[in-house]
Amino acid sequence: MESSGLPLFERAERHGDRVATVASGRAYSYRDLLDASAAIACRLLDGADDLNEARVAFLVPPAFDYVATQWGIWRAGGIAVPLGVSHPGPELEHAIVDADASVVVAHPSLSERVAGIAEARGARLLITQEDRPSGEELVARPSAPRLPLPNLKLPRPQLPRLSPDRRAMILFTSGTTSRPKGVVSTHGNIQAQVETLVAAWAWSQEDHVLLVLPLHHIHGVINVLSCALWSGARCTIYPTFNAETVWGELVGGDLTLFMAVPTVYSRLIAAWEAADPKQQRETSEGCRRLRLMVSGSAALPVRVLERWRDISGHTLLERYGMTEIGMALSNPLEGERRPGHVGLPLPGVEVRLVDDEGVVVPRGIPGEIEVRGPSVFREYWRRPEVTRDSFRDGWFRTGDVAVVEDGYHRVLGRSSVDILKTGGYKVSALEIEEVLRTHPAIEECAVVGKEDEEWGERVCGALVLRPGASLSREELRSWAAERLAPYKVPSEVLMVVDLPRNAMGKVTKSEVKKLF
Ligand code: MCA
Ligand code: AMP
């Protein structure tokens, strides 16, 4: 087979018969993954030499065919645009349209959600089939019947050679603009993001990691899946998080690594506490076999860290990252993991704290985190001005504020009140408000985050209804769920006569928060 030029695939060739992923109770080797992704790449190329950075959006639950599709897109020279499997039509449409995808790949169980969107845009729709190790099951729909295609495992398929500066992936992230924007990473960025974690956390081919996170965000895509496959390790994949299943894997399996958001650890703690003493003993012993457990994507409450240490014997390694930069700061693998802190810059990542003028602050003084290095993304997709504004002298401005205390960074929060973190997902209050304002009964609204032990923050909406209109919390939530991802739907809703405003008439979010 022609070499793509990318180390990820060359390394996979060397790992050949080792197990790469376990999904739906089946094991797939690196060879299976290479064969399936080559066949998918051929199918996507459809006779062309190179997709030349065409965007391929894909709606595939976390499993073997997700990975085969992602690799297939990369090997064909396309940009992979993973879609959120929990997302309703309008969110999927935004991603497909904004990325300007010319091909949409969907799992058969989800194809109805994107078929109309693809058709309206004239994009090709391809359907994956069951979790099988052969990519020839990727078929076109609706015109093509779902039959085995002619043998696509052609001898030595010609796949394009790819350079590291080629665009590889677009992930959507909510920000201070109203709709999520596409974060473009190159193959070189992804490689740098992976290599720094492989070095810092000593990944090896002996590792076995459990993946229960969504695969439209960095945490699942890079920190878990890509690091495992880069290392020749094994990744056991479940399509969604479920506390009982995870406890089962921790007890009965041979995992060495686990990574999740704080909400997942809170859920695991709750399940442990509900178990009987014998189960508690077994599960605690199961955890001790792992070599590392990591938390990130949102602040890990010290209480959760301490309770988890009591239960599992592990001091969670907390790290800090962002879609635009991958991971930047991490507590050490060896040495002190300090509760409430995110540690030091990762290898190859430069981090500085600056004041409003971009001047580096003295030690001990809070400043905005800025990051520089090969893992920092290329651009926001088709938003040159936003991209320009998010850098200062070559440093990416994260919008997060931190302070260095005794050599370790502590994240103090975001500089914008309109960015919330709920269950590890970043959401924009402005985006939610914009959608809520399109409801015919809503005159005005304000969305804020309320601190919450389990979720980090809960999305809360204060609504002013139009005169004579009525709307219950449940009506509002089910209406919103058709338009917004589940984690953006306000979990608390309050009807108010007026929103608190300052002398200039601007809604004061700090006062809105007090209402909840
Ligand atoms: C779900 N529910 C919520 C929320 N989400 N309620 C309040 N706030 C929320 N955010 C409700 C559901 O509607 C449901 O209510 C009930 O909670 C239980 O839902 P369930 O399905 O069990 O929840 P879940 O879908 O399992 O969600 C929990 C989760 C999930 C597994 C923690 O949020 C998750 O996978 N989070 C990870 C996100 C992630 O990977 N982020 C990384 C971004 P009802 O029962 O009434 O219907 S990348 C990143 O941040 C950077 C790069 C980094 O540093 O990693
Ligand atoms: P996202 O844009 O979804 O990639 O989320 C990135 C944001 O998550 C960062 O800008 C931080 O605000 C937050 N974040 C990630 N890890 C941590 C952490 N360990 N502690 C506090 N906040 C975090």
Side-chain angles (χ1 to χ4, degrees), residues 200-221:
W201 300 343
W203 277 87
S204 82
Q205 62 176 24
E206 304 312 323
D207 276 314
H208 180 186
V209 70
L210 182 62
L211 172 58
V212 292
L213 296 170
L215 286 179
H216 61 296
H217 284 300
I218 290 267
H219 199 158
V221 175

Side-chain angles (χ1 to χ4, degrees), residues 137-159:
E137 273 134 8
L138 187 78
V139 297
R141 258 226 307 212
S143 50
R146 219 191 292 167
L147 294 172
L149 294 163
N151 181 14
L152 279 171
K153 278 193 237 152
L154 300 169
R156 303 176 64 82
Q158 288 292 322
L159 297 174

Side-chain angles (χ1 to χ4, degrees), residues 101-175:
S102 53
V103 184
V104 179
V105 177
H107 187 270
S109 66
L110 300 172
S111 62
E112 293 315 317
R113 277 204 240 157
V114 284
I117 304 168
E119 194 184 350
R121 297 182 42 75
R124 241 172 114 204
L125 179 67
L126 296 166
I127 309 294
T128 65
Q129 278 208 354
E130 303 310 311
D131 241 2
R132 304 242 181 84
S134 57
E136 68 255 47
E137 273 134 8
L138 187 78
V139 297
R141 258 226 307 212
S143 50
R146 219 191 292 167
L147 294 172
L149 294 163
N151 181 14
L152 279 171
K153 278 193 237 152
L154 300 169
R156 303 176 64 82
Q158 288 292 322
L159 297 174
R161 277 193 74 75
L162 306 167
S163 65
D165 59 357
R166 191 186 274 242
R167 293 173 180 84
M169 184 160 71
I170 297 180
L171 297 178
F172 280 85
T173 190
S174 293

Side-chain angles (χ1 to χ4, degrees), residues 398-420:
T398 62
D400 288 308
V401 177
V403 63
V404 177
E405 295 171 339
D406 290 332
Y408 278 38
H409 290 74
R410 184 157 68 89
V411 178
L412 300 173
R414 303 265 332 164
S415 50
S416 165
V417 288
D418 288 316
I419 304 288
L420 322 181

Side-chain angles (χ1 to χ4, degrees), residues 173 297-299 318-323 342 400 414 421 426:
T173 190
S297 300
E318 185 175 7
R319 60 29 171 212
Y320 159 89
M322 197 175 179
T323 306
V342 291
D400 288 308
R414 303 265 332 164
K421 265 274 162 163
K426 181 156 101 175

